[in-house]
Amino acid sequence: MGSTVDAANKGLNGTASAKKPTVIFVLGGPGSGKGTQCAYIVEHFGYTHLSAGDLLRAEIKSGSENGTMIQNMIKEGKIVPSEVTIKLLQKAIQENGNDKFLIDGFPRNEENRAAFEKVTEIEPKFVLFFDCPEEEMERRLLGRNQGREDDNIETIRKRFKVFLESSLPVIQYYEAKGKVRKIHAAKPIEDVFQEVKAVFTPEAEKVEA
């Protein structure tokens, strides 16, 4: 099986020895505002934003067999298999000229995390965790009315429960490695971004120095 992993690595980086991209995992419950903040980070710090959810939704829209399978799993509130999401993320990284990425909404669980690191041989630089109380996330989701199938109160609560059960072990894993940057996300957008900026600014200065 080693050769498959090697092939995947070569596919991701062009060559086996190519410089690995910088990856930052962005985690937060549904409605924590991470998508908005990612857009700000892209604009100010030149990252490419890859949303696992958007990639999965695009795959569903394509009408492929893979897309139908993903759609059924999401409807049932299940988590899509790691290899499906990792393949979509790999393809997106591979096809992009940038070398620094925000991966939003992934890894969803410990198995996702381990599979991503094993397949891509990339460990995130750090994890940006948007910490937001459930009531605030519910209020935002019900108010945003984006016409998403998964934005009704019952599904929101289910998604929040899945997030807590699945993603918290991932956050704890990286916390133990000193890699979690926790952002208090219940504040207004601009205030949240000031906190985010403080996390990224030292990085930008190091690059220029």
Side-chain angles (χ1 to χ4, degrees):
M1 203 188 132
S3 59
T4 319
V5 174
D6 294 342
N9 291 333
K10 283 182 185 155
L12 179 63
N13 297 316
T15 67
S17 59
K19 185 177 169 285
K20 287 197 183 93
T22 298
V23 164
I24 291 166
F25 288 149
V26 183
L27 295 176
S32 59
K34 59 188 171 51
T36 304
Q37 295 300 325
C38 282
Y40 280 20
I41 296 163
V42 167
E43 193 187 323
H44 286 78
F45 300 104
Y47 278 76
T48 293
H49 175 212
L50 297 178
S51 157
D54 286 351
L55 290 171
L56 291 167
R57 279 189 283 275
E59 190 67 20
I60 290 168
K61 241 185 186 161
S62 76
S64 69
E65 203 179 312
N66 205 20
T68 308
M69 182 264 297
I70 292 166
Q71 186 172 28
N72 292 337
M73 294 199 78
I74 290 173
K75 264 189 185 156
E76 289 163 30
K78 289 180 185 162
I79 283 177
V80 177
S82 296
E83 62 272 18
V84 173
T85 312
I86 292 168
K87 270 181 199 159
L88 294 174
L89 287 166
Q90 268 193 320
K91 189 167 176 273
I93 288 172
Q94 211 175 323
E95 289 171 358
N96 192 293
N98 202 353
D99 64 348
K100 44 186 195 174
F101 296 89
L102 300 170
I103 296 186
D104 171 7
F106 186 91
R108 289 277 179 108
N109 55 30
E110 259 300 291
E111 193 259 335
N112 273 181
R113 178 201 67 72
F116 182 87
E117 289 190 11
K118 187 178 178 202
V119 172
T120 63
E121 289 193 341
I122 295 169
E123 224 189 286
K125 189 168 192 173
F126 59 82
V127 175
L128 199 60
F129 172 42
F130 289 95
D131 197 12
C132 194
E134 184 176 6
E135 314 76 67
E136 176 61 20
M137 290 198 262
E138 256 177 45
R139 193 181 64 74
R140 289 177 183 180
L141 285 173
L142 292 168
R144 76 182 185 184
N145 191 19
Q146 286 180 350
R148 285 219 343 231
E149 206 177 293
D150 53 358
D151 275 355
N152 64 60
I153 192 80
E154 224 170 281
T155 318
I156 287 166
R157 288 191 174 147
K158 203 190 287 179
R159 282 167 70 205
F160 189 77
K161 188 168 179 282
V162 168
F163 169 74
L164 280 183
E165 288 169 358
S166 310
S167 301
L168 285 182
V170 175
I171 290 157
Q172 284 159 354
Y173 171 86
Y174 286 118
E175 217 154 26
K177 293 179 152 226
K179 284 192 167 201
V180 173
R181 310 287 179 270
K182 191 185 279 194
I183 304 293
H184 301 288
K187 298 179 294 189
I189 290 172
E190 283 303 327
D191 295 354
V192 174
F193 187 57
Q194 288 311 311
E195 216 178 306
V196 170
K197 234 163 43 177
V199 170
F200 280 85
T201 303
E203 302 301 325
E205 280 166 5
K206 273 179 219 157
V207 172
E208 284 161 23

